PDB file of all heavy atoms in Angstrom:
ATOM      1  N   ARG A  27     -29.609  17.927 127.542  1.00 97.00           N
ATOM      2  CA  ARG A  27     -29.330  18.000 128.967  1.00 97.00           C
ATOM      3  C   ARG A  27     -30.609  18.446 129.707  1.00 97.00           C
ATOM      4  O   ARG A  27     -30.693  19.530 130.256  1.00 97.00           O
ATOM      5  CB  ARG A  27     -28.145  18.958 129.235  1.00 97.00           C
ATOM      6  CG  ARG A  27     -26.868  18.398 128.661  1.00 97.00           C
ATOM      7  CD  ARG A  27     -25.727  19.386 128.598  1.00 97.00           C
ATOM      8  NE  ARG A  27     -25.333  19.952 129.877  1.00 97.00           N
ATOM      9  CZ  ARG A  27     -24.329  20.807 130.012  1.00 97.00           C
ATOM     10  NH1 ARG A  27     -23.607  21.194 128.972  1.00 97.00           N
ATOM     11  NH2 ARG A  27     -24.013  21.272 131.196  1.00 97.00           N
ATOM     12  N   ARG A  28     -31.596  17.547 129.669  1.00 97.00           N
ATOM     13  CA  ARG A  28     -32.955  17.873 130.136  1.00 97.00           C
ATOM     14  C   ARG A  28     -33.007  18.221 131.627  1.00 97.00           C
ATOM     15  O   ARG A  28     -33.724  19.120 132.020  1.00 97.00           O
ATOM     16  CB  ARG A  28     -33.876  16.662 129.878  1.00 97.00           C
ATOM     17  CG  ARG A  28     -34.114  16.385 128.389  1.00 97.00           C
ATOM     18  CD  ARG A  28     -35.088  15.235 128.185  1.00 97.00           C
ATOM     19  NE  ARG A  28     -36.368  15.451 128.841  1.00 97.00           N
ATOM     20  CZ  ARG A  28     -37.349  16.212 128.329  1.00 97.00           C
ATOM     21  NH1 ARG A  28     -37.186  16.828 127.196  1.00 97.00           N
ATOM     22  NH2 ARG A  28     -38.496  16.331 128.968  1.00 97.00           N
ATOM     23  N   VAL A  29     -32.272  17.476 132.463  1.00 97.00           N
ATOM     24  CA  VAL A  29     -32.342  17.730 133.903  1.00 97.00           C
ATOM     25  C   VAL A  29     -31.889  19.149 134.214  1.00 97.00           C
ATOM     26  O   VAL A  29     -32.552  19.876 134.980  1.00 97.00           O
ATOM     27  CB  VAL A  29     -31.496  16.690 134.684  1.00 97.00           C
ATOM     28  CG1 VAL A  29     -31.386  17.037 136.133  1.00 97.00           C
ATOM     29  CG2 VAL A  29     -32.098  15.296 134.494  1.00 97.00           C
ATOM     30  N   GLU A  30     -30.780  19.571 133.604  1.00 96.00           N
ATOM     31  CA  GLU A  30     -30.279  20.928 133.841  1.00 96.00           C
ATOM     32  C   GLU A  30     -31.254  21.985 133.290  1.00 96.00           C
ATOM     33  O   GLU A  30     -31.478  23.008 133.958  1.00 96.00           O
ATOM     34  CB  GLU A  30     -28.916  21.113 133.193  1.00 96.00           C
ATOM     35  CG  GLU A  30     -27.837  20.276 133.896  1.00 96.00           C
ATOM     36  CD  GLU A  30     -26.616  20.063 133.004  1.00 96.00           C
ATOM     37  OE1 GLU A  30     -26.756  19.273 132.039  1.00 96.00           O
ATOM     38  OE2 GLU A  30     -25.584  20.678 133.280  1.00 96.00           O
ATOM     39  N   ALA A  31     -31.814  21.698 132.113  1.00 97.00           N
ATOM     40  CA  ALA A  31     -32.757  22.646 131.517  1.00 97.00           C
ATOM     41  C   ALA A  31     -34.000  22.780 132.398  1.00 97.00           C
ATOM     42  O   ALA A  31     -34.479  23.907 132.656  1.00 97.00           O
ATOM     43  CB  ALA A  31     -33.153  22.180 130.118  1.00 97.00           C
ATOM     44  N   LYS A  32     -34.524  21.671 132.877  1.00 97.00           N
ATOM     45  CA  LYS A  32     -35.733  21.715 133.709  1.00 97.00           C
ATOM     46  C   LYS A  32     -35.472  22.411 135.042  1.00 97.00           C
ATOM     47  O   LYS A  32     -36.327  23.122 135.550  1.00 97.00           O
ATOM     48  CB  LYS A  32     -36.250  20.305 133.948  1.00 97.00           C
ATOM     49  CG  LYS A  32     -37.025  19.741 132.755  1.00 97.00           C
ATOM     50  CD  LYS A  32     -37.545  18.382 133.090  1.00 97.00           C
ATOM     51  CE  LYS A  32     -38.908  18.049 132.884  1.00 97.00           C
ATOM     52  NZ  LYS A  32     -40.020  18.741 132.610  1.00 97.00           N
ATOM     53  N   LYS A  33     -34.284  22.212 135.589  1.00 97.00           N
ATOM     54  CA  LYS A  33     -33.926  22.857 136.853  1.00 97.00           C
ATOM     55  C   LYS A  33     -33.965  24.388 136.694  1.00 97.00           C
ATOM     56  O   LYS A  33     -34.526  25.096 137.532  1.00 97.00           O
ATOM     57  CB  LYS A  33     -32.546  22.416 137.312  1.00 97.00           C
ATOM     58  CG  LYS A  33     -32.125  22.940 138.633  1.00 97.00           C
ATOM     59  CD  LYS A  33     -30.748  22.363 139.034  1.00 97.00           C
ATOM     60  CE  LYS A  33     -30.286  22.961 140.343  1.00 97.00           C
ATOM     61  NZ  LYS A  33     -28.946  22.494 140.687  1.00 97.00           N
ATOM     62  N   ILE A  34     -33.429  24.887 135.588  1.00 96.00           N
ATOM     63  CA  ILE A  34     -33.431  26.332 135.348  1.00 96.00           C
ATOM     64  C   ILE A  34     -34.862  26.794 135.087  1.00 96.00           C
ATOM     65  O   ILE A  34     -35.290  27.854 135.589  1.00 96.00           O
ATOM     66  CB  ILE A  34     -32.502  26.723 134.167  1.00 96.00           C
ATOM     67  CG1 ILE A  34     -31.058  26.421 134.546  1.00 96.00           C
ATOM     68  CG2 ILE A  34     -32.668  28.184 133.807  1.00 96.00           C
ATOM     69  CD1 ILE A  34     -30.087  26.525 133.381  1.00 96.00           C
ATOM     70  N   ALA A  35     -35.623  26.017 134.320  1.00 97.00           N
ATOM     71  CA  ALA A  35     -37.016  26.404 134.047  1.00 97.00           C
ATOM     72  C   ALA A  35     -37.820  26.491 135.335  1.00 97.00           C
ATOM     73  O   ALA A  35     -38.597  27.436 135.527  1.00 97.00           O
ATOM     74  CB  ALA A  35     -37.649  25.412 133.082  1.00 97.00           C
ATOM     75  N   GLU A  36     -37.612  25.552 136.225  1.00 96.00           N
ATOM     76  CA  GLU A  36     -38.295  25.596 137.519  1.00 96.00           C
ATOM     77  C   GLU A  36     -37.899  26.824 138.321  1.00 96.00           C
ATOM     78  O   GLU A  36     -38.762  27.466 138.942  1.00 96.00           O
ATOM     79  CB  GLU A  36     -38.031  24.305 138.303  1.00 96.00           C
ATOM     80  CG  GLU A  36     -38.704  23.089 137.709  1.00 96.00           C
ATOM     81  CD  GLU A  36     -38.220  21.771 138.284  1.00 96.00           C
ATOM     82  OE1 GLU A  36     -37.400  21.793 139.259  1.00 96.00           O
ATOM     83  OE2 GLU A  36     -38.647  20.719 137.782  1.00 96.00           O
ATOM     84  N   ARG A  37     -36.625  27.150 138.296  1.00 96.00           N
ATOM     85  CA  ARG A  37     -36.158  28.353 138.979  1.00 96.00           C
ATOM     86  C   ARG A  37     -36.808  29.605 138.386  1.00 96.00           C
ATOM     87  O   ARG A  37     -37.242  30.501 139.107  1.00 96.00           O
ATOM     88  CB  ARG A  37     -34.634  28.448 138.905  1.00 96.00           C
ATOM     89  CG  ARG A  37     -34.070  29.569 139.767  1.00 96.00           C
ATOM     90  CD  ARG A  37     -32.572  29.692 139.645  1.00 96.00           C
ATOM     91  NE  ARG A  37     -32.330  30.544 138.478  1.00 96.00           N
ATOM     92  CZ  ARG A  37     -31.282  30.436 137.695  1.00 96.00           C
ATOM     93  NH1 ARG A  37     -30.392  29.500 137.869  1.00 96.00           N
ATOM     94  NH2 ARG A  37     -31.135  31.274 136.677  1.00 96.00           N
ATOM     95  N   LEU A  38     -36.902  29.648 137.058  1.00 96.00           N
ATOM     96  CA  LEU A  38     -37.544  30.793 136.401  1.00 96.00           C
ATOM     97  C   LEU A  38     -39.024  30.872 136.754  1.00 96.00           C
ATOM     98  O   LEU A  38     -39.563  31.979 136.917  1.00 96.00           O
ATOM     99  CB  LEU A  38     -37.345  30.722 134.886  1.00 96.00           C
ATOM    100  CG  LEU A  38     -35.940  31.049 134.400  1.00 96.00           C
ATOM    101  CD1 LEU A  38     -35.786  30.683 132.916  1.00 96.00           C
ATOM    102  CD2 LEU A  38     -35.602  32.518 134.643  1.00 96.00           C
ATOM    103  N   GLU A  39     -39.675  29.748 136.856  1.00 96.00           N
ATOM    104  CA  GLU A  39     -41.093  29.743 137.232  1.00 96.00           C
ATOM    105  C   GLU A  39     -41.261  30.278 138.660  1.00 96.00           C
ATOM    106  O   GLU A  39     -42.207  31.042 138.915  1.00 96.00           O
ATOM    107  CB  GLU A  39     -41.690  28.344 137.104  1.00 96.00           C
ATOM    108  CG  GLU A  39     -41.908  27.931 135.661  1.00 96.00           C
ATOM    109  CD  GLU A  39     -42.697  26.648 135.531  1.00 96.00           C
ATOM    110  OE1 GLU A  39     -43.651  26.446 136.319  1.00 96.00           O
ATOM    111  OE2 GLU A  39     -42.376  25.856 134.622  1.00 96.00           O
ATOM    112  N   MET A  40     -40.374  29.909 139.547  1.00 95.00           N
ATOM    113  CA  MET A  40     -40.419  30.437 140.906  1.00 95.00           C
ATOM    114  C   MET A  40     -40.150  31.948 140.924  1.00 95.00           C
ATOM    115  O   MET A  40     -40.834  32.705 141.602  1.00 95.00           O
ATOM    116  CB  MET A  40     -39.407  29.706 141.816  1.00 95.00           C
ATOM    117  CG  MET A  40     -39.746  28.246 142.043  1.00 95.00           C
ATOM    118  SD  MET A  40     -41.331  28.008 142.864  1.00 95.00           S
ATOM    119  CE  MET A  40     -40.939  28.589 144.485  1.00 95.00           C
ATOM    120  N   GLN A  41     -39.174  32.349 140.147  1.00 94.00           N
ATOM    121  CA  GLN A  41     -38.839  33.770 140.025  1.00 94.00           C
ATOM    122  C   GLN A  41     -40.037  34.554 139.470  1.00 94.00           C
ATOM    123  O   GLN A  41     -40.291  35.682 139.913  1.00 94.00           O
ATOM    124  CB  GLN A  41     -37.636  33.920 139.100  1.00 94.00           C
ATOM    125  CG  GLN A  41     -37.114  35.334 138.977  1.00 94.00           C
ATOM    126  CD  GLN A  41     -35.884  35.402 138.059  1.00 94.00           C
ATOM    127  OE1 GLN A  41     -35.181  34.439 137.860  1.00 94.00           O
ATOM    128  NE2 GLN A  41     -35.674  36.581 137.482  1.00 94.00           N
ATOM    129  N   ALA A  42     -40.782  33.961 138.554  1.00 93.00           N
ATOM    130  CA  ALA A  42     -41.941  34.634 137.957  1.00 93.00           C
ATOM    131  C   ALA A  42     -43.041  34.911 138.985  1.00 93.00           C
ATOM    132  O   ALA A  42     -43.862  35.782 138.779  1.00 93.00           O
ATOM    133  CB  ALA A  42     -42.493  33.777 136.806  1.00 93.00           C
ATOM    134  N   LYS A  43     -43.024  34.187 140.077  1.00 93.00           N
ATOM    135  CA  LYS A  43     -44.016  34.457 141.133  1.00 93.00           C
ATOM    136  C   LYS A  43     -43.669  35.701 141.948  1.00 93.00           C
ATOM    137  O   LYS A  43     -44.528  36.283 142.597  1.00 93.00           O
ATOM    138  CB  LYS A  43     -44.131  33.250 142.066  1.00 93.00           C
ATOM    139  CG  LYS A  43     -44.718  32.029 141.365  1.00 93.00           C
ATOM    140  CD  LYS A  43     -44.746  30.821 142.274  1.00 93.00           C
ATOM    141  CE  LYS A  43     -45.272  29.618 141.504  1.00 93.00           C
ATOM    142  NZ  LYS A  43     -45.210  28.388 142.304  1.00 93.00           N
ATOM    143  N   GLN A  44     -42.393  36.093 141.890  1.00 93.00           N
ATOM    144  CA  GLN A  44     -41.915  37.256 142.677  1.00 93.00           C
ATOM    145  C   GLN A  44     -41.639  38.494 141.818  1.00 93.00           C
ATOM    146  O   GLN A  44     -41.802  39.610 142.290  1.00 93.00           O
ATOM    147  CB  GLN A  44     -40.599  36.877 143.400  1.00 93.00           C
ATOM    148  CG  GLN A  44     -40.695  35.635 144.263  1.00 93.00           C
ATOM    149  CD  GLN A  44     -41.693  35.807 145.387  1.00 93.00           C
ATOM    150  OE1 GLN A  44     -41.747  36.847 146.016  1.00 93.00           O
ATOM    151  NE2 GLN A  44     -42.508  34.792 145.636  1.00 93.00           N
ATOM    152  N   SER A  45     -41.194  38.263 140.591  1.00 92.00           N
ATOM    153  CA  SER A  45     -40.845  39.378 139.712  1.00 92.00           C
ATOM    154  C   SER A  45     -41.142  38.963 138.259  1.00 92.00           C
ATOM    155  O   SER A  45     -41.446  37.794 137.983  1.00 92.00           O
ATOM    156  CB  SER A  45     -39.368  39.755 139.865  1.00 92.00           C
ATOM    157  OG  SER A  45     -38.533  38.647 139.550  1.00 92.00           O
ATOM    158  N   TYR A  46     -40.993  39.912 137.368  1.00 91.00           N
ATOM    159  CA  TYR A  46     -41.352  39.644 135.970  1.00 91.00           C
ATOM    160  C   TYR A  46     -40.370  38.700 135.310  1.00 91.00           C
ATOM    161  O   TYR A  46     -39.148  38.910 135.342  1.00 91.00           O
ATOM    162  CB  TYR A  46     -41.432  40.945 135.182  1.00 91.00           C
ATOM    163  CG  TYR A  46     -41.751  40.702 133.736  1.00 91.00           C
ATOM    164  CD1 TYR A  46     -43.053  40.375 133.352  1.00 91.00           C
ATOM    165  CD2 TYR A  46     -40.764  40.720 132.750  1.00 91.00           C
ATOM    166  CE1 TYR A  46     -43.358  40.116 132.038  1.00 91.00           C
ATOM    167  CE2 TYR A  46     -41.068  40.474 131.434  1.00 91.00           C
ATOM    168  CZ  TYR A  46     -42.357  40.176 131.084  1.00 91.00           C
ATOM    169  OH  TYR A  46     -42.644  39.899 129.773  1.00 91.00           O
ATOM    170  N   VAL A  47     -40.898  37.666 134.695  1.00 94.00           N
ATOM    171  CA  VAL A  47     -40.169  36.758 133.819  1.00 94.00           C
ATOM    172  C   VAL A  47     -41.086  36.597 132.597  1.00 94.00           C
ATOM    173  O   VAL A  47     -42.257  36.230 132.742  1.00 94.00           O
ATOM    174  CB  VAL A  47     -39.863  35.398 134.448  1.00 94.00           C
ATOM    175  CG1 VAL A  47     -39.251  34.446 133.442  1.00 94.00           C
ATOM    176  CG2 VAL A  47     -38.953  35.556 135.666  1.00 94.00           C
ATOM    177  N   SER A  48     -40.554  36.814 131.437  1.00 93.00           N
ATOM    178  CA  SER A  48     -41.373  36.705 130.217  1.00 93.00           C
ATOM    179  C   SER A  48     -41.883  35.280 130.019  1.00 93.00           C
ATOM    180  O   SER A  48     -41.098  34.339 129.939  1.00 93.00           O
ATOM    181  CB  SER A  48     -40.545  37.134 129.008  1.00 93.00           C
ATOM    182  OG  SER A  48     -41.260  36.817 127.829  1.00 93.00           O
ATOM    183  N   PRO A  49     -43.203  35.117 129.905  1.00 96.00           N
ATOM    184  CA  PRO A  49     -43.756  33.798 129.600  1.00 96.00           C
ATOM    185  C   PRO A  49     -43.235  33.282 128.256  1.00 96.00           C
ATOM    186  O   PRO A  49     -43.104  32.066 128.063  1.00 96.00           O
ATOM    187  CB  PRO A  49     -45.261  34.040 129.530  1.00 96.00           C
ATOM    188  CG  PRO A  49     -45.495  35.296 130.274  1.00 96.00           C
ATOM    189  CD  PRO A  49     -44.263  36.110 130.118  1.00 96.00           C
ATOM    190  N   PHE A  50     -42.933  34.189 127.376  1.00 95.00           N
ATOM    191  CA  PHE A  50     -42.382  33.871 126.078  1.00 95.00           C
ATOM    192  C   PHE A  50     -41.054  33.103 126.205  1.00 95.00           C
ATOM    193  O   PHE A  50     -40.814  32.113 125.512  1.00 95.00           O
ATOM    194  CB  PHE A  50     -42.156  35.194 125.333  1.00 95.00           C
ATOM    195  CG  PHE A  50     -42.007  35.103 123.855  1.00 95.00           C
ATOM    196  CD1 PHE A  50     -43.099  34.825 123.036  1.00 95.00           C
ATOM    197  CD2 PHE A  50     -40.798  35.370 123.251  1.00 95.00           C
ATOM    198  CE1 PHE A  50     -42.970  34.791 121.672  1.00 95.00           C
ATOM    199  CE2 PHE A  50     -40.651  35.340 121.887  1.00 95.00           C
ATOM    200  CZ  PHE A  50     -41.745  35.047 121.086  1.00 95.00           C
ATOM    201  N   LEU A  51     -40.220  33.525 127.138  1.00 94.00           N
ATOM    202  CA  LEU A  51     -38.932  32.864 127.383  1.00 94.00           C
ATOM    203  C   LEU A  51     -39.139  31.442 127.890  1.00 94.00           C
ATOM    204  O   LEU A  51     -38.491  30.492 127.432  1.00 94.00           O
ATOM    205  CB  LEU A  51     -38.091  33.654 128.391  1.00 94.00           C
ATOM    206  CG  LEU A  51     -37.638  35.030 127.966  1.00 94.00           C
ATOM    207  CD1 LEU A  51     -36.921  35.712 129.127  1.00 94.00           C
ATOM    208  CD2 LEU A  51     -36.728  34.953 126.733  1.00 94.00           C
ATOM    209  N   LEU A  52     -40.054  31.303 128.858  1.00 96.00           N
ATOM    210  CA  LEU A  52     -40.321  29.954 129.379  1.00 96.00           C
ATOM    211  C   LEU A  52     -40.928  29.058 128.319  1.00 96.00           C
ATOM    212  O   LEU A  52     -40.610  27.882 128.245  1.00 96.00           O
ATOM    213  CB  LEU A  52     -41.224  30.062 130.600  1.00 96.00           C
ATOM    214  CG  LEU A  52     -40.483  30.416 131.884  1.00 96.00           C
ATOM    215  CD1 LEU A  52     -41.420  30.960 132.926  1.00 96.00           C
ATOM    216  CD2 LEU A  52     -39.723  29.195 132.402  1.00 96.00           C
ATOM    217  N   ALA A  53     -41.762  29.625 127.487  1.00 97.00           N
ATOM    218  CA  ALA A  53     -42.336  28.810 126.388  1.00 97.00           C
ATOM    219  C   ALA A  53     -41.256  28.278 125.480  1.00 97.00           C
ATOM    220  O   ALA A  53     -41.299  27.107 125.062  1.00 97.00           O
ATOM    221  CB  ALA A  53     -43.328  29.665 125.592  1.00 97.00           C
ATOM    222  N   LYS A  54     -40.250  29.091 125.168  1.00 97.00           N
ATOM    223  CA  LYS A  54     -39.145  28.637 124.315  1.00 97.00           C
ATOM    224  C   LYS A  54     -38.420  27.436 124.954  1.00 97.00           C
ATOM    225  O   LYS A  54     -38.070  26.464 124.269  1.00 97.00           O
ATOM    226  CB  LYS A  54     -38.152  29.764 124.044  1.00 97.00           C
ATOM    227  CG  LYS A  54     -38.605  30.759 123.056  1.00 97.00           C
ATOM    228  CD  LYS A  54     -37.484  31.757 122.762  1.00 97.00           C
ATOM    229  CE  LYS A  54     -37.879  32.751 121.720  1.00 97.00           C
ATOM    230  NZ  LYS A  54     -36.749  33.601 121.311  1.00 97.00           N
ATOM    231  N   VAL A  55     -38.205  27.528 126.260  1.00 97.00           N
ATOM    232  CA  VAL A  55     -37.520  26.445 126.953  1.00 97.00           C
ATOM    233  C   VAL A  55     -38.346  25.155 126.837  1.00 97.00           C
ATOM    234  O   VAL A  55     -37.805  24.103 126.515  1.00 97.00           O
ATOM    235  CB  VAL A  55     -37.269  26.786 128.436  1.00 97.00           C
ATOM    236  CG1 VAL A  55     -36.722  25.594 129.184  1.00 97.00           C
ATOM    237  CG2 VAL A  55     -36.330  27.981 128.542  1.00 97.00           C
ATOM    238  N   TYR A  56     -39.653  25.260 127.065  1.00 98.00           N
ATOM    239  CA  TYR A  56     -40.493  24.054 126.990  1.00 98.00           C
ATOM    240  C   TYR A  56     -40.597  23.518 125.567  1.00 98.00           C
ATOM    241  O   TYR A  56     -40.722  22.297 125.385  1.00 98.00           O
ATOM    242  CB  TYR A  56     -41.854  24.319 127.639  1.00 98.00           C
ATOM    243  CG  TYR A  56     -41.715  24.339 129.154  1.00 98.00           C
ATOM    244  CD1 TYR A  56     -41.888  25.517 129.867  1.00 98.00           C
ATOM    245  CD2 TYR A  56     -41.360  23.204 129.842  1.00 98.00           C
ATOM    246  CE1 TYR A  56     -41.740  25.529 131.250  1.00 98.00           C
ATOM    247  CE2 TYR A  56     -41.197  23.191 131.233  1.00 98.00           C
ATOM    248  CZ  TYR A  56     -41.379  24.388 131.906  1.00 98.00           C
ATOM    249  OH  TYR A  56     -41.204  24.384 133.278  1.00 98.00           O
ATOM    250  N   VAL A  57     -40.555  24.386 124.571  1.00 98.00           N
ATOM    251  CA  VAL A  57     -40.521  23.887 123.180  1.00 98.00           C
ATOM    252  C   VAL A  57     -39.260  23.045 122.996  1.00 98.00           C
ATOM    253  O   VAL A  57     -39.314  21.946 122.434  1.00 98.00           O
ATOM    254  CB  VAL A  57     -40.546  25.042 122.172  1.00 98.00           C
ATOM    255  CG1 VAL A  57     -40.219  24.545 120.762  1.00 98.00           C
ATOM    256  CG2 VAL A  57     -41.905  25.718 122.152  1.00 98.00           C
ATOM    257  N   ALA A  58     -38.130  23.576 123.436  1.00 97.00           N
ATOM    258  CA  ALA A  58     -36.862  22.864 123.272  1.00 97.00           C
ATOM    259  C   ALA A  58     -36.863  21.540 124.034  1.00 97.00           C
ATOM    260  O   ALA A  58     -36.217  20.580 123.618  1.00 97.00           O
ATOM    261  CB  ALA A  58     -35.701  23.730 123.726  1.00 97.00           C
ATOM    262  N   LEU A  59     -37.582  21.487 125.136  1.00 98.00           N
ATOM    263  CA  LEU A  59     -37.700  20.240 125.900  1.00 98.00           C
ATOM    264  C   LEU A  59     -38.700  19.274 125.270  1.00 98.00           C
ATOM    265  O   LEU A  59     -38.813  18.139 125.717  1.00 98.00           O
ATOM    266  CB  LEU A  59     -38.143  20.551 127.341  1.00 98.00           C
ATOM    267  CG  LEU A  59     -37.087  21.133 128.261  1.00 98.00           C
ATOM    268  CD1 LEU A  59     -37.715  21.717 129.521  1.00 98.00           C
ATOM    269  CD2 LEU A  59     -36.031  20.064 128.609  1.00 98.00           C
ATOM    270  N   GLY A  60     -39.385  19.731 124.240  1.00 97.00           N
ATOM    271  CA  GLY A  60     -40.372  18.881 123.588  1.00 97.00           C
ATOM    272  C   GLY A  60     -41.705  18.831 124.324  1.00 97.00           C
ATOM    273  O   GLY A  60     -42.562  18.014 124.028  1.00 97.00           O
ATOM    274  N   GLU A  61     -41.877  19.725 125.292  1.00 98.00           N
ATOM    275  CA  GLU A  61     -43.111  19.770 126.068  1.00 98.00           C
ATOM    276  C   GLU A  61     -44.027  20.839 125.461  1.00 98.00           C
ATOM    277  O   GLU A  61     -44.179  21.946 125.989  1.00 98.00           O
ATOM    278  CB  GLU A  61     -42.789  20.062 127.544  1.00 98.00           C
ATOM    279  CG  GLU A  61     -41.977  18.965 128.192  1.00 98.00           C
ATOM    280  CD  GLU A  61     -41.680  19.214 129.665  1.00 98.00           C
ATOM    281  OE1 GLU A  61     -42.439  19.975 130.312  1.00 98.00           O
ATOM    282  OE2 GLU A  61     -40.707  18.626 130.142  1.00 98.00           O
ATOM    283  N   LYS A  62     -44.664  20.452 124.358  1.00 97.00           N
ATOM    284  CA  LYS A  62     -45.436  21.412 123.593  1.00 97.00           C
ATOM    285  C   LYS A  62     -46.622  21.976 124.376  1.00 97.00           C
ATOM    286  O   LYS A  62     -46.910  23.189 124.283  1.00 97.00           O
ATOM    287  CB  LYS A  62     -45.920  20.767 122.298  1.00 97.00           C
ATOM    288  CG  LYS A  62     -44.781  20.463 121.336  1.00 97.00           C
ATOM    289  CD  LYS A  62     -45.302  19.799 120.066  1.00 97.00           C
ATOM    290  CE  LYS A  62     -44.168  19.482 119.121  1.00 97.00           C
ATOM    291  NZ  LYS A  62     -44.655  18.864 117.873  1.00 97.00           N
ATOM    292  N   GLU A  63     -47.317  21.136 125.099  1.00 97.00           N
ATOM    293  CA  GLU A  63     -48.490  21.607 125.860  1.00 97.00           C
ATOM    294  C   GLU A  63     -48.079  22.648 126.905  1.00 97.00           C
ATOM    295  O   GLU A  63     -48.736  23.656 127.088  1.00 97.00           O
ATOM    296  CB  GLU A  63     -49.244  20.438 126.519  1.00 97.00           C
ATOM    297  CG  GLU A  63     -50.030  19.618 125.527  1.00 97.00           C
ATOM    298  CD  GLU A  63     -51.089  20.437 124.810  1.00 97.00           C
ATOM    299  OE1 GLU A  63     -51.830  21.220 125.459  1.00 97.00           O
ATOM    300  OE2 GLU A  63     -51.196  20.310 123.561  1.00 97.00           O
ATOM    301  N   ARG A  64     -46.950  22.343 127.572  1.00 97.00           N
ATOM    302  CA  ARG A  64     -46.458  23.308 128.605  1.00 97.00           C
ATOM    303  C   ARG A  64     -46.021  24.612 127.928  1.00 97.00           C
ATOM    304  O   ARG A  64     -46.287  25.672 128.487  1.00 97.00           O
ATOM    305  CB  ARG A  64     -45.263  22.636 129.322  1.00 97.00           C
ATOM    306  CG  ARG A  64     -44.833  23.378 130.531  1.00 97.00           C
ATOM    307  CD  ARG A  64     -45.643  22.911 131.748  1.00 97.00           C
ATOM    308  NE  ARG A  64     -45.074  23.525 132.906  1.00 97.00           N
ATOM    309  CZ  ARG A  64     -45.729  24.361 133.701  1.00 97.00           C
ATOM    310  NH1 ARG A  64     -46.978  24.645 133.470  1.00 97.00           N
ATOM    311  NH2 ARG A  64     -45.146  24.917 134.734  1.00 97.00           N
ATOM    312  N   ALA A  65     -45.415  24.522 126.776  1.00 97.00           N
ATOM    313  CA  ALA A  65     -45.021  25.724 126.041  1.00 97.00           C
ATOM    314  C   ALA A  65     -46.233  26.580 125.695  1.00 97.00           C
ATOM    315  O   ALA A  65     -46.224  27.787 125.897  1.00 97.00           O
ATOM    316  CB  ALA A  65     -44.247  25.331 124.771  1.00 97.00           C
ATOM    317  N   ILE A  66     -47.275  25.912 125.211  1.00 97.00           N
ATOM    318  CA  ILE A  66     -48.486  26.641 124.823  1.00 97.00           C
ATOM    319  C   ILE A  66     -49.149  27.268 126.044  1.00 97.00           C
ATOM    320  O   ILE A  66     -49.678  28.380 125.989  1.00 97.00           O
ATOM    321  CB  ILE A  66     -49.444  25.752 124.010  1.00 97.00           C
ATOM    322  CG1 ILE A  66     -48.782  25.431 122.651  1.00 97.00           C
ATOM    323  CG2 ILE A  66     -50.781  26.419 123.818  1.00 97.00           C
ATOM    324  CD1 ILE A  66     -49.505  24.390 121.809  1.00 97.00           C
TER     325      ILE A  66
END
């Protein structure tokens, strides 16, 4: 369910600009999406 996953990831990226969001968590999401470069 890539569209839903990406929507949440984008929301987390926006949230990370205002408050702490672990980069580690976002990396896991991008690994699961198969976006290895983005995860790294």
Side-chain angles (χ1 to χ4, degrees):
R27 293 167 60 178
R28 294 182 57 79
V29 171
E30 291 160 288
K32 281 182 129 348
K33 184 177 176 183
I34 295 170
E36 289 168 5
R37 188 183 85 212
L38 287 169
E39 287 189 38
M40 293 299 289
Q41 185 180 336
K43 293 177 182 175
Q44 306 297 319
S45 61
Y46 178 76
V47 174
S48 170
F50 198 72
L51 295 175
L52 279 160
K54 284 185 177 187
V55 173
Y56 286 111
V57 168
L59 285 166
E61 297 182 23
K62 293 179 180 181
E63 287 299 315
R64 191 87 173 119
I66 293 171

